[in-house]
Amino acid sequence: MQQRIVGTSSVRKEGAAKVCGTARYIDDMALPGMLYGATVRSSIPRGRITKIEFDLEIPWHEFTIVTAADIPGSNSIALVQNDWPCLAEKMVNHFEEPILLLAHPDCHLLPQAVSSVRIEYEPLPSIHSIAESERQHPVVWGTDNILKSYLMEKGDVDAAWAHADYIIEGEYETGAQEHLYIENNGVIADYSEDAGVTVWGSMQCPFYVHKSLMHLMALPEDKVRVIQVETGGAFGGKEDYPSMIAAHAALLARKAARPIKLVYDRAEDMAATTKRHPSRTRHRTAVAKDGTLLAAEIDLALDGGAYSTLSSTVLSRATIHAGGCYYWPSLRVRAHAFATNTPPHGAFRGFGAPQSLFAIERHMDRIAAAIGFTPEEVRRKNFLRPGLTTATGQEIPPGVDLDHLLTRALEASSYHEKKLRFEQENPRRALKKGIGIAAFLHGAGFTGSGERRMRSIASMDATPEGNLRVLVSSTEFGQGTNTILCQIAAEALGIDYDAVCMAPPDTHVVPNSGPTVASRTAMVVGKLVASAAVEIKRILIDSGYLHEPYITADFQQAASAYVKDRGSLCAEGHYQAPPNVYWDDDTYHGEAYGAYAWAVYVAEVAVDTVDYHVSVDDFVAVQEVGRVINPVLATGQVEGGIAQGIGYALYEKVVWQNGHMSNNQMTNYIIVTSQDIPPIHVYFEEVPYSYGAFGAKGLGELPIDGPAPAILNAVSHATIEDFCAIPLLPEDVMAKLVRSRFQVGEEVSA
Amino acid sequence: MTNQRITMTVNGVDRTIEAYPMERLLDVLREKLQLTGTKEGCGEGECGACSVLLNGELVNSCLVPVAQAANSRVITIEGLGSPANLDPVQEAFLRYGGSQCGMCTPGMIVAAKYLLNHNPHPSPEEIREGLSGNLCRCTGYMRIFEAVEMASRAQRGKSAT
Amino acid sequence: MRACPEHFNLVSSGSLSSVLGMLASDRGKWLPIAGGTEIMVLFSAGKLQQRNLINLWNLAELREIRVNEDTVSIGGGCTFSQIRSHPVIAAEFPLLALAAGWIGGVANQNRATIAGNLANASPAADSPPALLACEAEIELISARGTRRLPYTQCHLGYKRTVIAPDELIYAIQLPRKFSGWCTYARKVGTRNAQAISKVCIAAQAKIDFGRIQTIRIGMGSIAPIPLQLSQIEQLLAGCPIDRIPLVESRKLLDTAITPIDDIRSTKTYRRQVAGNLLEECLRTLAGTGA
Ligand code: FES
Ligand code: FES
């Protein structure tokens, strides 16, 4: 059916407020009588707290001081396991661990007060890498430093080695990555005996914060209220940590009996909050002479930091994506998340998949080189196709066509012509050019039975004026949630986009449509919104208030009249799993995701042999994401993801000193500027997915998966060297190139 | 140190405030004048989220002690347009997807405005250079370039007719 | 923000002479601030030690670029935007115009001043290599009078200069003698814009009759102070451009520089890239002079 609104570029719902500077973010707000909060943190990576002293020159009676003893409920941030303390009591397990909280009416007095709390420790040995954690010396978490492990198996891997023509091995590493949303984390909290605790904040998941506060404050559901305000970027970085900040602000508000604003500055946000998990992946692959992949043994390790937080779910996605978009007759993935004494690593766009896909896509190029195939050929030979099954046994549905995506990407990038030309010209040039491919997939929605367990609800209602509202806990932080959900609702209602608006993301107002993560908003929540909308329309028609055909004004009049007569008009959409979907958490078998998005990216790079800098000169991104709801927003998501991916590959290095981020300033953590970004060419193929809203699948995370492997493949092509670790900085490029071919220094001869 | 009376013309209106001379112009705008459209991203001159025009010059307001802005003209994002009356640059950012999370947007638009004031029809390279002091983590910059180009084109259209 | 503005003093005295008077009467008490692009960063981070600041921004006497017969004189308070867009500087001192464009983004160039860039004395500053290559002199002013010295003598050590506590950089003097010289400049930073340099170089050479007559080379980020590579300049003076001793030059460079490891790069990288840049510089100059 022809759609009127879905598929067009409706303007961003909250866009006018954003371009005018009237959108209100947390630091733009204040409550009467509000105090400012600050956090006293650990200054060692691991040890026992032996003494806390307060310097005498500070007038402490003016400050509110909160310690773990002030926590009415349980001293932990509720996520998957509850091992993450809200405030450290006796032990600290990483730098920047919160120990004590302060509040004062004058925000300028807090920094000095924070540094005037003297904490003494008995230091204990600490560990700072996957390798150290594996050695279990010392054990810093549980009994073996292992936060979580999975074993995923298909076929008979052990039997495959004997008749393999080639066995190819490789080890790949990825570094931590900082989200660097331009708005730092922050919340405002208020508390009263009657109303309980109310928190306004920059966040992705109001109900995560809600749940965590109930445990911490020992309050019933209705005494905790969480309201998301305009959020200035998140990328996963505001999935778990806002629960921590909200907890701190709530504790201060309760003790001070005043509202508290707790907003981090950049240095604190970078040093203390989560990053993308560093990883190490080992591949061992059996390949036949004709290029067929026979079997793989993949050993996957993530550095989870000091507490388990979200590592188990990140590891799960990494495990499932480890084999990439290829068919494996046999595959074994052993995956572990290790504890180290760094601040916990957390959710970041891609959620484990970028690490795994970097490894497999770099490895595919090395397989191609080892068996004398081109990178294109070996991929084509082994692509997942309709009817084949993934490593979890999920059957690929009709319509998936990686061959076509690859062909289109190669054409759009003039791949063959450039590859040949670069190879001919490079020997004579100081600027070595290269071109590289990455083919990949990204599962949309929660892994496995996650959606079924979540049982999300979305609803719609009408105001007395007859405006239609979408009620969800799915939040806007730049990706376009508000816009696409209103588009979907308007489409389903058969009215104008402007007649639909979003209810405030307030846990007292909206139902729990689940967290805003995992590329699930368009596909899963959008579908629920669409069914709530259909229900609203049915109610109005069945009750005789509305007659088809109608225009927007008719609909609004009908809704308004209905509300006046009957008190309210509202409908809910409940999650229903697509039929024949089955998942077994123990064996890791079944439908891992409702749907996958597919993509092929091509990066063109230049490696300068004077300063060893790699620049990305051109980028082509072809993807199949189901129905594209809003082309301008979708293109922006892809371009933004690619920019982050370029940073991940070439610029963004977290410099660790003993588990402490030492470059925690924007000046020293390098993201791309307008002068580092190549032209990006974005193409969509649309194969509608029947169980997503108007055929949509997930899109938000996909574009971070491809750039790093495509770029490193291109750099390896340009330099005829193997680069297997990111971030790849000029210093690393130099280390390989200087001792080889590009040594300079002969006399100039005319 | 004591508070001083400082007068500035902000978005065309004379404003007098009491402030310590080393207070940052950014904080004075946000806290004393409630002009919260100007954002703080880094506080060290790196991100441009705090960009404003000071006597017509693009500056990072986090690096300007307010005493240096005394008796000056300041234009912030609020001075360019309002939702009911958008500046052409704001309109282009809205229409072409130049704003996602919106945190870099006010500064980015002020920087784009400054660029177009000095160079009404910038080349793609000039757009990249003119915005290189404004970091955006969401967009990958492409939609921003397009918005600036379209705003420039709209101006050309206007001056041609 | 981690500072308490209440604890800081910033006085604007209105004229250069009264600023100099204050600097003289309380030597060491005052920290001059112009565009604030360095000082305000320290201030916000809670790391600014000095509590008393004196405002130089917009002192008209310091904001002028004067074109004289033999020199161009750039007032210490001139911003890099002013320098970049000045037609005579662009024509006769392209190295400096280029270096001015290396500094931060447009907003930083609108505020950062040349005197601030020198007085801050960071070894990674962007303008010093160009000033070294342009044989700049600096003119210092105080209530005691003025003095003028070659810029090569300005830096004493890491973040230390010859500028006395009661002195200001009044102007930078550039001799108008470089027309027809071949130039080369390159900054290697952490990215293409808004970057702090890892190594940077600026050089110009007078090449006549197939020989380098004179060459000036300045480098940054490879020693505690910006370096003029005088030994290499001497080695190359008189060299035919088809027989430039690259190996010898790189060797001299290796002994002249003392790069360090820091948060942005490594000494190995800086050493290697400094050599590569010098080599590219000499090849380019030889090429354009041929
Ligand atoms: S906040 Fe001023 S430049 Fe970032
Ligand atoms: S739109 Fe989010 S930082 Fe630019």
Side-chain angles (χ1 to χ4, degrees):
Chain A
M1 201 189 81
Q2 190 58 39
Q3 286 140 9
R4 305 163 303 119
I5 296 169
V6 161
T8 68
S9 295
S10 304
V11 299
R12 178 176 282 280
K13 255 300 150 184
E14 74 293 351
K18 284 176 172 172
V19 300
C20 292
T22 54
R24 306 267 283 167
Y25 300 77
I26 193 67
D27 203 24
D28 304 337
M29 299 168 48
L31 292 180
M34 187 177 81
L35 310 181
Y36 295 87
T39 314
V40 179
R41 299 173 178 281
S42 59
S43 53
I44 61 162
R46 183 164 175 256
R48 248 182 283 282
I49 300 171
T50 54
K51 202 197 252 172
I52 299 183
E53 278 185 335
F54 294 83
D55 274 7
L56 291 177
E57 73 262 27
I58 303 288
W60 291 109
H61 64 276
E62 294 174 8
F63 289 79
T64 306
I65 303 173
V66 160
T67 67
D70 294 302
I71 298 173
S74 81
N75 182 8
S76 69
I77 303 300
L79 283 164
V80 181
Q81 303 180 42
N82 297 337
D83 66 330
W84 195 23
C86 171
L87 290 170
E89 240 177 311
K90 301 193 177 82
M91 275 287 295
V92 298
N93 288 302
H94 62 82
F95 261 105
E96 307 288 344
E97 187 159 358
I99 297 172
L100 198 129
L101 306 166
L102 303 175
H104 193 277
D106 184 349
C107 63
H108 296 309
L109 299 183
L110 284 162
Q112 205 201 336
V114 166
S115 56
S116 302
V117 180
R118 296 268 168 76
I119 301 176
E120 286 177 22
Y121 306 91
E122 175 200 335
L124 294 169
S126 57
I127 52 178
H128 302 289
S129 67
I130 290 169
E132 282 177 350
S133 185
E134 257 174 337
R135 263 177 250 134
Q136 301 185 2
H137 188 70
V139 170
V140 300
W141 193 93
T143 56
D144 54 6
N145 286 341
I146 296 177
L147 300 168
K148 184 75 188 178
S149 29
Y150 296 107
L151 174 64
M152 181 172 86
E153 272 190 290
K154 179 190 186 192
D156 188 351
V157 174
D158 299 321
W161 309 111
H163 43 259
D165 295 311
Y166 301 92
I167 296 175
I168 294 127
E169 299 187 5
E171 181 170 315
Y172 307 91
E173 283 180 30
T174 64
Q177 186 181 22
E178 160 60 30
H179 305 86
L180 216 81
Y181 28 65
I182 302 296
E183 181 208 29
N184 292 314
N185 269 289
V187 306
I188 293 175
D190 198 7
Y191 183 90
S192 74
E193 284 304 324
D194 293 347
V197 58
T198 306
V199 167
W200 296 259
S202 178
M203 64 182 74
Q204 291 175 234
C205 312
F207 280 100
Y208 277 7
V209 177
H210 184 264
K211 172 178 158 195
S212 179
L213 284 173
M214 280 166 56
H215 285 271
L216 180 95
M217 306 296 282
L219 287 171
E221 210 172 348
D222 61 331
K223 287 283 173 65
V224 176
R225 179 174 183 185
V226 180
I227 303 161
Q228 187 235 14
V229 300
E230 202 71 73
T231 294
F235 316 112
K238 294 172 183 174
E239 178 171 345
D240 51 8
Y241 213 88
S243 298
M244 177 70 90
I245 307 172
H248 292 166
L251 291 170
L252 281 167
R254 180 171 175 268
K255 185 138 182 194
R258 300 269 289 275
I260 299 287
K261 180 187 264 195
L262 185 50
V263 175
Y264 289 174
D265 69 6
R266 182 60 60 184
E268 183 172 21
D269 195 297
M270 290 180 87
T273 73
T274 61
K275 313 262 172 291
R276 188 190 295 289
H277 290 68
S279 76
R280 183 202 63 204
T281 308
R282 294 181 175 139
H283 275 260
R284 183 160 191 259
T285 313
V287 186
K289 257 206 295 287
D290 69 352
T292 307
L293 301 172
L294 302 174
E297 172 103 49
I298 303 173
D299 179 276
L300 169 65
L302 297 182
D303 174 348
Y307 298 104
S308 68
T309 62
L310 295 170
S311 285
S312 60
T313 44
V314 173
L315 186 68
S316 158
R317 190 171 278 269
T319 304
I320 292 168
H321 286 75
C325 56
Y326 305 102
Y327 174 69
W328 297 96
S330 306
L331 178 78
R332 182 187 295 133
V333 182
R334 290 178 208 277
H336 302 281
F338 289 99
T340 61
N341 298 108
T342 49
H345 295 298
F348 194 150
R349 191 182 209 168
F351 211 71
Q355 292 92 323
S356 282
L357 291 167
F358 171 72
I360 180 70
E361 280 306 284
R362 199 61 270 288
H363 193 61
M364 287 302 283
D365 263 35
R366 300 184 64 225
I367 290 173
I371 68 173
F373 276 49
T374 67
E376 176 208 348
E377 285 164 348
V378 75
R379 286 182 171 83
R380 262 193 217 286
K381 181 97 194 156
N382 294 286
F383 274 150
L384 281 167
R385 295 191 166 80
L388 293 177
T389 55
T390 67
T392 67
Q394 179 165 0
E395 193 177 307
I396 301 302
V400 171
D401 192 353
L402 278 162
D403 270 312
H404 173 66
L405 298 184
L406 178 58
T407 303
R408 192 166 172 195
L410 297 181
E411 271 168 18
S413 59
S414 307
Y415 176 84
H416 294 293
E417 181 266 314
K418 282 181 177 166
K419 184 157 186 270
L420 198 67
R421 180 155 53 84
F422 296 163
E423 284 164 11
Q424 285 166 354
E425 291 175 357
N426 276 346
R428 286 174 281 116
R429 297 183 49 174
L431 203 63
K432 311 287 176 193
K433 299 272 300 178
I435 190 159
I437 310 172
F440 53 102
L441 75 179
H442 196 99
F446 283 138
T447 302
S449 29
E451 292 295 349
R452 211 177 298 206
R453 272 201 299 266
M454 186 69 226
R455 294 175 34 209
S456 301
I457 302 172
S459 59
M460 288 206 66
D461 70 5
T463 64
E465 301 76 40
N467 288 320
L468 279 299
R469 298 198 311 169
V470 175
L471 293 90
V472 290
S473 63
S474 308
T475 52
E476 171 69 54
F477 37 88
Q479 357 71 299
T481 301
N482 292 346
T483 310
I484 61 157
L485 292 183
C486 288
Q487 283 183 272
I488 288 166
E491 185 75 55
L493 293 168
I495 62 175
D496 292 346
Y497 169 70
D498 289 339
V500 183
C501 65
M502 298 295 289
D506 173 342
T507 56
H508 271 24
V509 175
V510 297
N512 190 353
S513 62
T516 316
V517 302
S519 308
R520 63 188 291 279
T521 302
M523 181 176 99
V524 178
V525 182
K527 185 82 179 171
L528 305 182
V529 169
S531 51
V534 167
E535 180 62 11
I536 290 266
K537 178 175 155 186
R538 190 196 61 76
I539 294 173
L540 287 180
I541 290 179
D542 286 1
S543 57
Y545 284 79
L546 183 66
H547 306 280
E548 288 189 283
Y550 54 82
I551 60 168
T552 301
D554 303 335
F555 197 102
Q556 288 178 304
Q557 259 166 26
S560 173
Y562 189 99
V563 172
K564 203 178 299 146
D565 298 347
R566 312 222 178 163
S568 73
L569 170 61
C570 97
E572 288 185 343
H574 291 254
Y575 179 75
Q576 277 171 330
N580 307 322
V581 164
Y582 158 87
W583 176 255
D584 184 336
D585 259 329
D586 297 326
T587 61
Y588 256 53
H589 200 79
E591 272 62 45
Y593 300 98
Y596 287 94
W598 308 88
V600 177
Y601 286 4
V602 181
E604 180 185 329
V605 305
V607 184
D608 190 320
T609 52
V610 173
D611 66 0
Y612 313 103
H613 175 73
V614 179
S615 56
V616 182
D617 289 353
D618 201 58
F619 205 97
V620 166
V622 178
Q623 47 256 303
E624 191 272 282
V625 297
R627 183 84 169 110
V628 173
I629 309 240
N630 184 314
V632 164
L633 295 191
T635 306
Q637 279 300 293
V638 173
E639 291 163 346
I642 289 169
Q644 281 177 351
I646 292 172
Y648 187 41
L650 297 174
Y651 297 92
E652 298 183 30
K653 179 168 185 163
V654 175
V655 181
W656 296 107
Q657 274 172 2
N658 246 343
H660 189 247
M661 181 181 190
S662 57
N663 56 334
N664 58 331
Q665 286 172 279
M666 271 205 190
T667 313
N668 291 323
Y669 182 80
I670 306 301
I671 67 168
V672 294
T673 69
S674 57
Q675 291 196 283
D676 302 292
I677 194 88
I680 301 173
H681 314 277
V682 177
Y683 305 94
F684 291 104
E685 292 283 336
E686 297 185 71
V687 180
Y689 167 59
S690 356
Y691 302 101
F694 294 99
K697 298 194 284 194
L699 164 65
E701 296 175 283
L702 178 80
I704 190 76
D705 294 339
I711 289 166
L712 276 260
N713 284 340
V715 174
S716 301
H717 175 232
T719 57
I720 328 175
E721 285 282 348
D722 261 332
F723 289 98
C724 296
I726 53 167
L728 179 68
L729 269 64
E731 286 76 4
D732 311 310
V733 175
M734 181 193 78
K736 277 215 173 158
L737 296 197
V738 164
R739 51 168 177 70
S740 62
R741 291 174 295 286
F742 306 120
Q743 187 59 280
V744 277
E746 74 278 21
E747 307 284 317
V748 171
S749 49
Chain B
M1 195 55 210
T2 51
N3 263 328
Q4 297 179 354
R5 280 171 77 81
I6 292 173
T7 303
M8 304 181 275
T9 309
V10 182
N11 299 330
V13 180
D14 287 345
R15 308 290 297 257
T16 300
I17 42 110
E18 304 256 316
Y20 299 110
M22 276 295 277
E23 278 182 54
R24 304 181 303 175
L25 176 59
L26 171 65
D27 298 326
V28 169
L29 292 171
R30 289 177 51 80
E31 284 156 27
K32 302 216 154 114
L33 299 174
Q34 273 75 50
L35 294 169
T36 52
T38 304
K39 304 299 181 197
E40 174 164 4
C42 67
E44 55 178 9
E46 194 71 16
C47 73
C50 64
S51 303
V52 301
L53 301 179
L54 180 61
N55 291 328
E57 295 289 308
L58 183 73
V59 303
N60 292 321
S61 62
C62 69
L63 299 185
V64 178
V66 68
Q68 290 187 342
N71 308 314
S72 302
R73 284 170 292 117
V74 180
I75 302 283
T76 69
I77 185 72
E78 290 92 344
L80 296 185
S82 63
N85 183 24
L86 294 175
D87 179 273
V89 178
Q90 291 172 318
E91 173 83 49
F93 268 67
L94 179 60
R95 171 111 48 110
Y96 299 102
S99 174
Q100 290 188 16
C101 82
M103 262 310 268
C104 72
T105 306
M108 195 69 83
I109 288 177
V110 170
K113 193 75 196 160
Y114 177 79
L115 171 69
L116 295 176
N117 285 346
H118 286 76
N119 182 359
H121 304 297
S123 67
E125 292 69 38
E126 288 168 333
I127 295 176
R128 284 170 179 261
E129 197 199 332
L131 302 180
S132 70
N134 294 74
L135 298 179
C136 175
R137 189 56 156 167
C138 298
T139 62
Y141 304 102
M142 296 293 127
R143 308 289 94 225
I144 292 173
F145 299 156
E146 181 165 334
V148 175
E149 236 160 71
M150 297 315 263
S152 156
R153 226 179 273 176
Q155 277 177 354
R156 190 194 301 261
K158 243 177 239 165
S159 56
T161 50
Chain C
M1 225 237 323
R2 297 191 177 183
C4 187
E6 191 181 344
H7 299 154
F8 292 81
N9 190 1
L10 168 60
V11 299
S12 302
S13 71
S15 75
L16 179 60
S17 61
S18 69
V19 169
L20 294 176
M22 289 176 69
L23 290 176
S25 65
D26 244 329
R27 271 173 75 99
K29 175 178 176 189
W30 299 100
L31 175 68
I33 177 171
T37 51
E38 294 288 347
I39 291 172
M40 290 302 286
V41 175
L42 288 177
F43 168 74
S44 285
K47 291 180 183 156
L48 185 62
Q49 299 304 327
Q50 294 92 330
R51 291 297 165 101
N52 295 292
L53 294 99
I54 187 161
N55 187 13
L56 302 185
W57 183 248
N58 265 342
L59 281 183
E61 298 100 311
L62 298 177
R63 290 268 332 229
E64 243 183 285
I65 297 177
R66 267 192 298 271
V67 180
N68 308 315
E69 193 170 327
D70 299 331
T71 61
V72 168
S73 157
I74 302 174
C78 290
T79 65
F80 285 102
S81 295
Q82 241 178 311
I83 292 170
R84 254 187 108 174
S85 58
H86 195 279
V88 176
I89 293 177
E92 297 183 30
F93 305 95
L95 291 177
L96 184 59
L98 194 69
W102 288 344
I103 287 159
V106 179
N108 295 318
Q109 291 166 18
N110 282 343
R111 291 280 295 175
T113 64
I114 190 153
N117 204 225
L118 301 187
N120 182 52
S122 160
D126 289 318
S127 67
L131 294 177
L132 290 168
C134 292
E135 299 181 9
E137 294 193 333
I138 60 171
E139 200 176 336
L140 301 175
I141 190 166
S142 69
R144 295 172 286 139
T146 62
R147 58 179 178 136
R148 201 163 149 161
L149 62 152
Y151 175 57
T152 48
Q153 294 170 16
C154 176
H155 296 278
L156 298 174
Y158 179 74
K159 292 243 172 192
R160 284 193 308 121
T161 66
V162 296
I163 307 166
D166 65 341
E167 279 182 317
L168 294 177
I169 299 174
Y170 180 66
I172 315 296
Q173 305 284 352
L174 301 173
R176 298 180 70 182
K177 56 178 260 197
F178 299 109
S179 81
W181 289 45
C182 303
T183 62
Y184 170 91
R186 184 163 171 186
K187 169 176 172 173
V188 173
T190 46
R191 60 185 162 202
N192 290 335
Q194 286 281 72
I196 296 176
S197 87
K198 294 181 182 180
V199 189
C200 62
I201 181 171
Q204 51 186 343
K206 184 171 163 59
I207 299 174
D208 284 328
F209 313 111
R211 278 174 194 278
I212 294 178
Q213 306 298 328
T214 317
I215 184 167
R216 294 283 170 262
I217 312 171
M219 247 194 198
S221 290
I222 36 69
I225 62 171
L227 275 195
Q228 180 178 8
L229 303 175
S230 348
Q231 277 185 308
I232 300 174
E233 292 173 355
Q234 281 158 24
L235 172 76
L236 295 173
C239 256
I241 53 168
D242 55 359
R243 282 200 304 276
I244 292 179
L246 291 177
V247 175
E248 184 66 18
S249 301
R250 285 187 77 137
K251 269 192 197 138
L252 284 177
L253 178 73
D254 250 344
T255 55
I257 64 177
T258 50
I260 56 160
D261 287 334
D262 66 10
I263 209 164
R264 290 178 205 106
S265 193
T266 63
K267 58 172 176 271
T268 326
Y269 175 84
R270 290 188 162 104
R271 191 170 281 286
Q272 176 69 35
V273 171
N276 293 358
L277 287 178
L278 178 65
E279 182 167 332
E280 185 181 76
C281 166
L282 297 181
R283 287 177 189 270
T284 309
L285 292 177
T288 42

